[in-house]
Amino acid sequence: MVAFKLIVIMLVIAIGFFYVNTANWTPFVPNGFGGVMRGVSDVFFAYIGFDAISTTAEECKNPQRDLPRGMIYSLIICTVLYIVLALVLTGMVNYTHLDVGDFLAAAFHQRGLNWLSGIIALSAVIATTSVLLVFQLGQPRIWMSMSRDGLLPKRFSKLHPKYHTPGFSTIITGLIVGIPALFLDSDLVTDLTSIGTLFAFALVCGGILLLPRTEKEKGKFRVPYINGRYWVGLLMLIVAGIALHFNTDKCTDFLHSRSLKSADELVSSLNPAEFSSLASIVYKTNQTGISKDSLTNYLLKMDGDQYSSLARNLGISENEKFNIGWSIFADNITFWIFLLLSIVMTIASFIKRLSLIPVFGLLSCFYLITELGLTNWLRFIIWLIIGIVIYFTYGIKNSRLRANA
């Protein structure tokens, strides 16, 4: 199935390349850097398969050598394919036409390649099956390891007599994942998957920082140590400077706990005189009879920077331009937490000479988590509390580490 997916992807790239219109890449980043990072947070679940590889350590002949190579090579290959495929698709059709469930097939359908869009739609079904198999591969083995450590009942570590895999854990995983998937919204599922994966990656980076520094053994992989005493603080200052230079308005909004109203909110808040003034600016004419829906749709077609510049320079009150209040501050709480963590890690790196790579891995994961919003944080915290309850009611009492202490 993997070979089939790769063949289809290469076919899409090869044929789609000849239908690329470079005009569709203008503007190249229509929603700015913030839009890019929000998109990264939303689709981060696409990288969940790489950490699933690590759960198959017991099934590798030489895990110290094979697992790092497998993860790094597959990460490089997939990232290159993601980038090239994104360039081809956004070059074939305008990005606004890709906001559909089957965007690959839709892009080729819009260019008149109906025969290829059918093949892509069929391959998507097959590809989904293989992806689901990978997603279900890791969790049963994690539960198996936890069960062996005494953190879960022994039943979870029992191997199937024929296939020698954690059969019970696999069945329970399938039920826990499959049944809610029938009823939950897909956006909710992907956001929770992304925030869970990002948090797990952040924990791994934190764990590397706690590991004692040892000499590298031949044939074994170890994260390279780069003294971050000065580098972390320097790079944080550079990132902050870039953010302030290119996103001055958004930084100001953040400090004032406000957010620019969306097009429909802005149009709805205007009185007749202000509406006419905005319409004359947009259409460059004093024509009458323009409806609110027509003006709203026109504003929605603008890229993020154009709309922001237009809205901020309107001669109306701040309350009509911006959403202000507790809800905006609450949405920014996650970023305040990230800023606090950044300051703590910068100071800790200077004092304890922490390694640069895991520190920036930890901070980058937490930054992406902030992009998922407060609501997803609250959902994840509830899920985390459930896990903590299981640990303190069962795991801590039966832990092998505690028994051997």
Side-chain angles (χ1 to χ4, degrees), residues 111-129:
R111 299 308 298 265
L113 300 172
N114 296 328
W115 64 274
L116 186 56
S117 66
I119 294 175
I120 294 173
L122 175 63
S123 66
V125 177
I126 299 174
T128 301
T129 304

Side-chain angles (χ1 to χ4, degrees), residues 23-40:
N24 289 324
W25 289 337
T26 304
F28 193 72
V29 186
N31 295 312
F33 180 76
V36 173
M37 299 312 294
R38 170 63 188 177
V40 171

Side-chain angles (χ1 to χ4, degrees), residues 125-187:
V125 177
I126 299 174
T128 301
T129 304
S130 66
V131 170
L132 290 174
L133 287 174
V134 173
F135 283 2
Q136 298 301 301
L137 179 69
Q139 189 59 55
R141 285 154 178 79
I142 293 173
W143 280 347
M144 179 182 69
S145 297
M146 293 174 65
S147 176
R148 288 176 176 175
D149 292 337
L151 302 179
L152 288 175
K154 293 182 179 179
R155 179 78 171 168
F156 283 87
S157 59
K158 186 177 180 180
L159 299 180
H160 191 278
K162 180 179 179 181
Y163 302 109
H164 304 291
T165 55
F168 178 78
S169 295
T170 301
I171 293 173
I172 296 300
T173 300
L175 293 174
I176 292 177
V177 173
I179 294 176
L182 296 173
F183 309 101
L184 295 178
D185 179 72
S186 60
D187 290 337

Side-chain angles (χ1 to χ4, degrees), residues 17-202:
F17 174 79
F18 294 99
Y19 291 86
V20 168
N21 178 8
T22 55
N24 289 324
W25 289 337
T26 304
F28 193 72
V29 186
N31 295 312
F33 180 76
V36 173
M37 299 312 294
R38 170 63 188 177
V40 171
S41 301
D42 285 340
V43 301
F44 195 82
F45 66 91
Y47 284 86
I48 197 173
F50 303 107
D51 69 306
I53 297 175
S54 64
T55 64
T56 62
E58 294 186 18
E59 299 163 59
C60 295
K61 291 182 178 180
N62 188 349
Q64 286 282 356
R65 181 200 65 189
D66 298 338
L67 284 181
R69 289 182 180 179
M71 285 188 281
I72 293 172
Y73 293 160
S74 58
L75 184 63
I76 293 172
I77 293 171
C78 290
T79 300
V80 171
L81 289 177
Y82 287 159
I83 294 172
V84 175
L85 190 59
L87 286 172
V88 169
L89 286 178
T90 54
M92 289 179 64
V93 297
N94 190 273
Y95 74 96
T96 57
H97 298 154
L98 296 175
D99 189 18
V100 293
D102 55 342
F103 52 86
L104 268 175
F108 283 89
H109 178 71
Q110 290 184 42
R111 299 308 298 265
L113 300 172
N114 296 328
W115 64 274
L116 186 56
S117 66
I119 294 175
I120 294 173
L122 175 63
S123 66
V125 177
I126 299 174
T128 301
T129 304
S130 66
V131 170
L132 290 174
L133 287 174
V134 173
F135 283 2
Q136 298 301 301
L137 179 69
Q139 189 59 55
R141 285 154 178 79
I142 293 173
W143 280 347
M144 179 182 69
S145 297
M146 293 174 65
S147 176
R148 288 176 176 175
D149 292 337
L151 302 179
L152 288 175
K154 293 182 179 179
R155 179 78 171 168
F156 283 87
S157 59
K158 186 177 180 180
L159 299 180
H160 191 278
K162 180 179 179 181
Y163 302 109
H164 304 291
T165 55
F168 178 78
S169 295
T170 301
I171 293 173
I172 296 300
T173 300
L175 293 174
I176 292 177
V177 173
I179 294 176
L182 296 173
F183 309 101
L184 295 178
D185 179 72
S186 60
D187 290 337
L188 170 62
V189 173
T190 53
D191 282 346
L192 288 177
T193 303
S194 292
I195 196 171
T197 306
L198 285 165
F199 187 77
F201 285 6

